[in-house]
């Protein structure tokens, strides 16, 4: 490349023509000769006297050629670099190491990032032996502090990248890195050096596991970090508390001998340090709470399973409660009156409130006597800060204590909180509404019945006239209150919300358009509350819902005429369309038969939503269409020619995978609604579904519903599924092979969902072919399907949903093939599945197991 500097600078040119040409030139240089281009970039960064912006861009471009956020792309880039001969890579790495001692700070900082990227690729293979000695030389006595800083930055970045990749280094290499980092934190080092070293230590905590097993080394690390919390530089103190939080999470079981010191220095910090340091020290306590909660949950789970606990909870949080609570409440009373709820400002008052909530969850009933004296003394204080802090403190301890411990205070508090909705200070009003919402969510049974009318009326009154933040919290309170009826009393002839339903819905719809609807998430909160109210409404509210549905349809129709002069206008319009589609969906599901008269108008508007090039509201539109299909069944056929093109676009919208997943679900909805009438569209749908299964870039969450959709299609068209059967079964058999390690809970959960989808597909195919008198086509696959069921029967990680689906599939294949599978089902696994089903305690699973057992018995006796 003739002039690399000019080309790199051209990539920053505001003129798109110049910028695009420069970016194209860099791509061509990379493709033409990758190793030569990498060396050119390294030399450009190393070029003392050259334009510093160009040098920085060169280093960042080199780094970006090796890095990527997603694992697949990063793997491809790593492979491309590793494919180069070591003799080619060596000089490039050598040049990059040299830049760490450049006189230019920007060049050193950029080199630190790029060298770390290289090291994260090379060190796991022991292929850069010069890296660590060079860095250790840079941090020795006599080296200038700026060079030490850039070197420690490099070590920190390297640790972070290796930790993200979950790479384990040899203990000798770890010790050398740790020695260099800890040396940089010493109190006689310059603050900039201490800061870089402390950040590096934070990033490298996961590599100190071996050191934490050795008492002397563990103590050395803890002493070093605790001393660093006393540094005169607040930035260093913040980083030191971040290290302690990370150590707490990873090495909780090793902390006992250090907890007295950690208590002392953290409580001292909470009482007198500056805010950003206090927030960081609070994070240590939050992590301590979360770690103890995790351990306690595991102990409870193992106890239920009859197994011994593998960890011990030392209950440090409970031990520190007496001294911690006064510091928390003091910090909570230092609110930032000007802080905007939408700002990403996390101050000490907010952090303390979060901590109090975690403390309550950790110590449970013990929090009540610790916090309630403060609440009762200050909830009616003349000082608004104390009123707000007391109200927030009460709200934050509601999740944790038992109803027996907190219930009497909830009973007494509701009237006080309702009065606070009209407080003179907006923060008190907002927090009061927040508190009421938490009571409705967690302790609704403790609300006195005679207060219920006043509760609803007070929240209603807050919706149109109070500040958006207060109105939004009032929406949440109503949402949580309504949700309790959804659980207990949504199908009866009437419930306690019935007298207020019309006014509530009307007011909430008005609130969604009031001044300030775009603040504090008010519009979304209002519509979400509308949805829950519809879902929990009793039978006597059906006329109200029938009257409201045309209003919602009209509101949706009116959005198509909204002018969009800016991207924000367009986003607001599409978000509103999504909210309205969601209301239409839940209304359809609630009123069922009565919706048929509005079906044409509903579909007309939903199809118009789908015409938008951006998919913002497509998910909600597809869900509403699915709800309509489920209600009107075969009458939905007339809409299919209009829907088909949009549904195909949704199935192939791999970028917006949530939309793709909902579109897959809609295929199932339409198949169930239309049954054999779906057949003309099946070829397109099956093709799209198979493409989704074969697409490695598609989010894996889409694949289980894709498998289920095959079952829906097969069940709908019966024997006409034959042309798709072989390729579908091959995909199902491939999916069966997916396994999860015993220690990966997230993957275990995904595999269970995947297997449930496989079983639903098998069940649909078996039943469809049986109904179509083509069950003989299944015989060659019977051994494979039953082998899969045997695998599931013996899988200790199988969940209840998989058990239910497996028993159903077992019964279906036995019913379909009869004596042909007699030998296959004679093995022990059938008894295992059936017995587990019978003892599950779930009435549906028990009934399915009884049915499957009767089929198996008939075959055995045949």
């Amino acid at each position: 490349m003739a002039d690399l500097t000019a080309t790199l600078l051209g990539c920053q040119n505001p003129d798109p023509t110049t910028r695009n040409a420069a970016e194209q030139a860099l791509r061509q240089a990379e493709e033409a000769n990758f190793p030569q281009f990498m060396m050119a970039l390294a030399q450009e960064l190393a070029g003392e006297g050259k334009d510093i912006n160009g040098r920085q861009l060169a280093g960042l471009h080199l780094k970006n050629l090796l890095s990527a956020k997603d694992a697949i792309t990063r793997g491809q880039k790593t492979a491309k670099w590793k494919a180069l001969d070591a003799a080619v890579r060596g000089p490039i790495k050598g040049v990059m190491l040299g830049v760490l001692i450049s006189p230019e700070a920007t060049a050193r900082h950029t080199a630190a990032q790029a060298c770390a990227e290289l090291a994260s690729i090379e060190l796991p293979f022991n292929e850069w032996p010069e890296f660590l000695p060079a860095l250790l030389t840079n941090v020795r006595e006599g080296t200038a502090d700026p060079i030490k800083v850039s070197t420690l930055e490099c070590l920190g970045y390297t640790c972070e990248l290796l930790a993200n990749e979950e790479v384990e280094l040899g203990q000798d290499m770890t010790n050398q890195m740790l020695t260099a980092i800890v040396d940089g934190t010493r109190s006689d080092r310059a603050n900039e050096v201490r800061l870089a070293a402390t950040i590096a230590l934070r990033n490298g905590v996961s590599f100190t596991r071996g050191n934490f097993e050795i008492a002397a080394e563990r103590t050395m690390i803890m002493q070093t970090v605790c001393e660093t919390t006393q540094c005169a530089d607040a930035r260093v103190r913040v980083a030191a508390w971040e290290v302690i939080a990370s150590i707490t999470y990873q090495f909780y079981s090793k902390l006992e001998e250090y907890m007295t010191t950690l208590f002392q220095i953290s409580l001292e910090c909470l009482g007198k340090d500056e805010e950003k340091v206090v927030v960081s020290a609070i994070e240590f306590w939050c992590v301590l709470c979360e770690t103890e909660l995790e351990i306690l949950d595991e102990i409870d789970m193992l106890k239920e399973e009859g197994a011994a606990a593998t960890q011990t909870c030392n209950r440090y949080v409970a031990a520190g409660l007496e001294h911690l609570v006064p510091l928390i409440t003091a910090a909570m009373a230092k609110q930032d009156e000007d802080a905007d709820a939408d700002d990403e400002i996390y101050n000490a008052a907010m952090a303390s409130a979060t901590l109090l909530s975690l403390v309550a969850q950790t110590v449970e009933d013990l929090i009540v006597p610790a916090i309630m004296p403060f609440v009762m003394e200050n909830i009616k204080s003349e000082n608004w800060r104390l009123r707000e802090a007391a109200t927030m403190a009460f709200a934050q301890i509601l999740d944790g204590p038992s109803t027996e411990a907190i219930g009497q205070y909830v009973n007494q508090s509701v009237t006080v909180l309702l009065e606070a909705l009209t407080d003179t200070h907006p923060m008190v009003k907002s927090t009061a509404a927040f508190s009421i919402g938490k009571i409705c969510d967690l302790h609704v049974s403790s609300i006195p019945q005679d207060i219920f009318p006043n509760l609803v009326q007070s929240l209603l009154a807050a919706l149109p006239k109070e500040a958006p933040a207060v109105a939004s919290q009032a929406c949440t309170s109503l949402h949580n209150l309504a949700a309790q009826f959804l659980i207990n009393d949504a199908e009866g002839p009437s419930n306690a919300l019935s007298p207020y339903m019309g006014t509530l819905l009307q007011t909430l719809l008005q609130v969604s358009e009031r001044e300030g609807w775009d603040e504090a998430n008010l519009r979304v909160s209002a519509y979400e509350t509308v949805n829950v109210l519809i879902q929990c409404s009793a039978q006597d509210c059906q006329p109200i819902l029938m009257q409201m549905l045309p209003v919602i349809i009209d509101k949706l129709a009116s959005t198509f005429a909204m002018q969009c002069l800016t991207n924000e206008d367009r986003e607001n319009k599409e978000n509103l369309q999504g909210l309205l589609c969601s209301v239409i969906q839940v209304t359809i599901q609630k009123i069922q038969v009565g919706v048929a008269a509005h079906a044409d108008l509903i579909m007309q508007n939903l199809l118009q939503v789908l015409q938008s090039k951006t998919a913002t509201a497509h998910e909600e539109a597809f869900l509403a269409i699915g709800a309509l299909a489920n209600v009107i069944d075969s009458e939905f056929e007339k809409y299919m020619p209009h829907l088909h093109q949009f549904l195909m676009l949704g199935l192939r919208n791999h970028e917006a995978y949530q939309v793709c997943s909902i579109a897959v679900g809609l295929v199932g909805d339409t198949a169930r609604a239309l049954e054999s009438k779906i057949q003309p569209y099946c070829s397109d749908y099956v093709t799209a579904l198979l493409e989704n299964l074969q697409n490695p870039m598609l989010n894996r969450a889409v694949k289980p519903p894709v498998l289920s959709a095959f079952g829906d299609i097969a069940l709908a068209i019966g024997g006409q599924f034959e042309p798709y059967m072989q390729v579908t079964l091959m995909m199902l058999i491939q999916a069966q092979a997916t396994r999860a390690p015993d220690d990966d809970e997230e993957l275990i959960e995904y595999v269970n969902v995947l297997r449930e989808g496989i079983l639903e597909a098998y069940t649909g195919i078996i039943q469809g072919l049986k109904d179509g008198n083509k069950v003989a086509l299944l015989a060659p696959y019977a051994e494979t399907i039953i082998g899969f069921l045997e695998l599931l029967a013996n899988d200790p990680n199988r969940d209840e949903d998989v058990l239910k689906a497996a028993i159903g599939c077992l019964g279906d294949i036995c019913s379909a093939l009869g004596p042909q599978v007699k030998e296959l089902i004679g093995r022990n696994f059938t008894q295992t599945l059936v017995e587990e089903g019978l003892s599950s305690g779930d009435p549906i699973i028990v009934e399915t197991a009884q049915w499957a057992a009767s089929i198996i018995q008939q075959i055995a006796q045949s």
Side-chain angles (χ1 to χ4, degrees):
M1 183 175 291
D3 190 344
L4 181 55
T5 305
T7 305
L8 289 163
L9 293 173
C11 293
Q12 302 295 303
N13 196 298
D15 175 46
T17 303
T18 303
R19 187 172 63 251
N20 291 338
E23 291 171 351
Q24 179 63 25
L26 291 181
R27 283 193 292 271
Q28 289 174 349
E30 177 193 349
E31 293 165 4
N33 193 324
F34 179 61
Q36 187 181 75
F37 183 54
M38 293 289 280
M39 176 57 85
L41 290 170
Q43 290 173 338
E44 182 73 17
L45 175 60
E48 303 297 345
K50 287 194 169 188
D51 183 286
I52 190 58
N53 292 323
R55 294 176 67 184
Q56 181 182 32
L57 290 169
L60 292 175
H61 194 72
L62 186 149
K63 179 185 82 72
N64 292 338
L65 287 174
L66 301 170
S67 66
K69 291 182 179 179
D70 68 279
I72 294 175
T73 306
R74 177 172 170 78
Q76 293 169 345
K77 291 184 174 183
T78 297
K80 186 175 182 178
W81 168 257
K82 294 288 292 177
L84 301 179
D85 190 87
V88 174
R89 286 181 279 133
I92 298 171
K93 293 182 292 185
V95 172
M96 295 302 295
L97 277 177
V99 187
L100 286 173
I101 59 173
S102 167
E104 281 283 354
T106 301
R108 290 195 307 273
H109 178 71
T110 306
Q113 297 176 67
C115 283
E117 204 68 55
L118 287 163
S120 70
I121 297 172
E122 298 278 345
L123 293 184
F125 299 94
N126 296 313
E127 291 192 354
W128 197 0
E130 303 85 1
F131 175 73
L132 206 49
L135 268 59
L136 295 176
T137 299
N138 289 352
V139 296
R140 284 178 186 157
E141 297 288 348
T143 305
D145 285 344
I147 292 174
K148 289 180 181 176
V149 169
S150 60
T151 302
L152 288 165
E153 283 179 345
C154 183
L155 277 171
Y157 294 141
T158 302
C159 289
E160 184 176 23
L161 289 167
L162 291 171
N164 289 342
E165 296 290 316
E166 299 183 354
V167 172
E168 291 190 13
L169 299 177
Q171 192 59 49
D172 182 58
M173 188 178 295
T174 299
N175 289 340
Q176 291 183 62
M177 293 170 70
L178 186 61
T179 299
I181 292 170
V182 170
D183 181 77
T185 66
R186 282 171 25 190
S187 59
D188 60 344
R189 299 299 188 204
N191 286 341
E192 292 296 333
V193 174
R194 296 187 77 184
L195 177 62
T198 308
I199 292 172
L201 182 57
R202 179 195 67 196
N203 293 340
V205 165
S206 63
F207 294 105
T208 63
R209 191 164 302 279
N211 307 90
F212 260 79
E213 293 297 327
I214 302 169
E217 294 186 20
R218 179 172 69 241
T219 298
M220 181 271 295
I221 294 170
M222 292 303 299
Q223 285 179 345
T224 298
V225 182
C226 289
E227 288 171 5
T228 309
T229 65
Q230 308 303 304
C231 178
D233 191 320
R235 298 173 302 161
V236 178
R237 298 200 299 278
V238 168
W241 282 112
E242 290 172 349
V243 174
I244 291 172
S246 184
I247 287 172
T248 301
Y249 175 70
Q250 298 191 51
F251 306 115
Y252 174 88
S253 64
K254 305 292 184 183
L255 292 182
E256 186 172 2
E257 61 188 293
Y258 315 109
M259 282 310 297
T260 300
T261 300
L262 290 174
F263 274 15
Q264 290 172 349
I265 61 175
S266 64
L267 295 176
E268 182 181 0
C269 173
L270 293 181
K272 69 178 188 181
D273 213 328
E274 58 186 276
E275 186 166 58
K276 63 183 179 182
V277 186
V278 169
V279 170
S280 193
I282 288 173
E283 181 61 22
F284 151 67
W285 278 97
C286 288
V287 171
L288 186 60
C289 289
E290 289 167 343
T291 304
E292 293 200 341
L293 269 173
E294 195 173 302
I295 294 171
L296 291 169
D297 287 345
E298 182 180 307
I299 290 171
D300 288 344
M301 182 184 70
L302 291 171
K303 187 177 179 180
E304 287 179 9
E305 296 173 355
T310 57
Q311 296 186 80
T312 300
C313 180
N314 295 322
R315 298 190 178 274
Y316 297 128
V317 179
L321 199 59
E322 179 184 352
H323 303 288
L324 180 62
V325 164
L327 294 171
I328 292 176
T329 55
M332 289 175 66
K334 297 177 181 177
Q335 306 92 330
D336 181 356
E337 196 171 0
D338 299 321
D340 191 317
D342 294 331
D343 290 345
E344 295 182 5
I345 297 172
Y346 193 56
N347 56 40
M350 295 175 182
S352 297
T354 300
L355 172 58
L356 181 57
S357 176
L358 288 168
V359 169
Q361 293 172 56
T362 306
V363 305
E364 298 179 330
D365 287 358
L366 293 177
I367 195 62
V368 177
I371 203 71
M372 283 313 297
F374 171 79
V375 173
M376 297 174 73
E377 181 181 348
N378 294 290
I379 200 163
K380 288 190 172 183
S381 170
E382 293 184 3
N383 182 334
W384 76 264
R385 292 185 183 278
L386 291 174
R387 286 201 308 278
E388 195 279 336
T391 307
M392 179 62 81
F394 183 65
Q396 295 298 79
I397 68 162
L398 289 171
D399 187 7
S402 63
T403 299
E404 290 74 20
I406 197 71
Q408 61 172 319
Y409 296 107
V410 173
N411 186 292
Q412 299 165 18
S413 72
V414 178
T415 301
V416 177
L417 293 171
L418 290 176
E419 290 174 0
L421 289 175
T422 58
D423 194 276
T424 55
H425 199 280
M427 285 188 73
V428 178
K429 288 194 276 192
S430 179
T431 304
F434 171 67
S435 302
I436 293 168
K438 292 201 72 173
I439 288 172
C440 291
D441 183 31
L442 300 168
H443 297 285
V444 72
S445 62
S446 297
I447 299 175
Q449 289 188 0
D450 59 336
I451 291 179
F452 185 84
N454 189 28
L455 172 62
V456 176
Q457 294 291 0
S458 297
L459 293 171
L460 257 173
L463 293 174
K465 67 180 183 180
E466 296 294 350
V470 179
S472 184
Q473 293 290 2
C475 286
T476 302
S477 297
L478 287 167
H479 178 287
N480 292 343
L481 183 63
Q484 304 306 315
F485 290 89
L486 190 60
I487 297 169
N488 302 313
D489 199 16
E491 300 300 327
S494 185
N495 62 37
L497 280 173
S498 292
Y500 311 100
M501 188 62 65
T503 305
L504 283 168
L505 292 172
Q506 183 179 7
T507 304
L508 286 163
L509 291 176
Q510 291 169 351
V511 165
S512 72
E513 298 176 357
R514 58 159 273 187
E515 184 180 356
W517 63 262
D518 55 345
E519 299 175 37
N521 206 38
L522 179 54
R523 172 175 279 176
V524 172
S525 295
Y527 274 109
E528 287 179 348
T529 306
V530 166
N531 286 346
V532 175
L533 284 167
I534 292 168
Q535 290 169 320
C536 80
S537 62
Q539 293 172 15
D540 58 353
C541 294
Q542 287 276 319
I544 295 172
L545 301 186
M546 288 296 296
Q547 291 172 12
M548 189 187 73
L549 181 56
V551 175
I552 299 298
I553 297 170
D554 287 345
K555 280 182 176 291
L556 180 58
S558 69
T559 64
F560 303 122
M562 290 173 64
Q563 285 192 324
C564 297
L565 301 177
T566 65
N567 284 336
E568 185 179 2
D569 290 341
R570 178 181 56 78
E571 289 174 9
N572 287 335
K573 170 184 172 180
E574 291 171 354
N575 287 335
L576 177 57
Q577 288 175 342
L579 293 168
L580 291 165
C581 288
S582 183
V583 176
I584 290 171
Q585 177 202 349
V586 297
T587 307
I588 291 169
Q589 291 169 332
K590 190 68 181 182
I591 64 180
Q592 295 283 314
V593 178
V595 80
H598 303 282
D600 287 353
L601 204 52
I602 289 172
M603 279 302 296
Q604 177 184 327
N605 284 281
L606 293 176
L607 290 170
Q608 192 161 349
V609 171
L610 294 174
Q611 289 177 23
S612 171
K613 292 181 180 178
T614 53
T616 307
H618 288 192
E619 187 176 341
E620 291 82 2
F622 280 141
L623 287 168
I625 292 170
L628 184 64
N630 288 331
V631 168
I632 65 174
D633 292 328
S634 61
E635 295 298 316
F636 191 81
E637 182 186 10
K638 64 181 177 180
Y639 305 120
M640 285 303 297
H642 310 284
L643 173 64
H644 181 65
Q645 60 173 319
F646 299 114
L647 186 46
M648 290 301 297
L649 289 172
L651 291 172
R652 288 175 171 145
N653 191 348
H654 300 154
E655 294 297 319
Y657 75 89
Q658 297 96 332
V659 174
C660 181
S661 183
I662 298 299
V664 170
L666 182 53
V667 169
D669 291 333
T670 54
R672 287 188 296 274
L674 301 184
E675 297 182 335
S676 62
K677 294 178 181 178
I678 194 72
Q679 203 277 331
Y681 306 97
C682 285
S683 182
D684 286 346
Y685 293 156
V686 169
T687 299
L689 294 172
L690 290 171
E691 288 172 356
N692 286 342
L693 287 179
Q694 294 167 332
N695 184 346
M697 303 301 291
L698 181 60
N699 189 290
R700 71 184 187 187
V702 180
K703 299 192 176 182
V706 167
L707 298 173
S708 297
F710 285 120
D712 292 325
I713 293 171
L715 190 57
I717 64 176
Q720 295 178 84
F721 190 74
E722 181 179 355
Y724 318 115
M725 191 191 74
Q726 184 175 6
V727 66
T728 301
L729 289 174
M730 288 300 101
M731 285 293 177
L732 294 173
I733 291 166
Q734 285 180 28
Q736 286 177 195
T738 306
R739 303 285 190 274
D742 288 338
D743 59 350
D744 191 334
E745 291 185 12
E746 184 179 342
L747 191 54
I748 288 171
E749 183 179 351
Y750 169 73
V751 169
N752 274 323
V753 174
L754 183 73
R755 287 174 171 175
E756 187 183 359
I758 295 168
L759 291 166
E760 288 173 352
Y762 278 142
T763 295
I765 293 169
I766 293 166
Q767 291 180 3
L769 292 177
K770 182 182 178 184
D771 292 344
N773 296 317
K774 292 191 176 181
V775 75
L777 296 171
L778 274 173
Y781 303 95
E783 186 170 357
T784 301
I785 296 172
I786 290 175
F788 179 52
L789 294 174
E790 184 171 13
L791 169 73
L792 299 180
N794 298 319
D795 182 4
N797 295 320
R798 161 180 39 80
D799 66 17
E800 203 164 79
D801 289 329
V802 172
L803 174 64
K804 178 169 66 176
I807 295 171
C809 185
L810 175 63
D812 282 321
I813 196 165
C814 290
S815 175
L817 295 178
Q820 296 179 64
V821 295
K822 183 174 182 178
E823 184 178 338
L824 293 172
I825 63 170
R827 303 196 289 264
N828 291 335
F829 83 92
T830 56
Q831 187 176 354
T832 301
L833 281 177
V834 170
E835 286 180 355
E836 285 198 36
L838 293 172
S839 62
S840 67
D842 183 311
I844 297 176
I845 298 178
V846 171
E847 184 180 351
T848 306
Q850 290 172 339
W851 167 74
S854 68
I855 300 293
I856 292 168
Q857 187 176 15
Q858 290 173 24
I859 294 174
Q861 294 172 351
S862 63

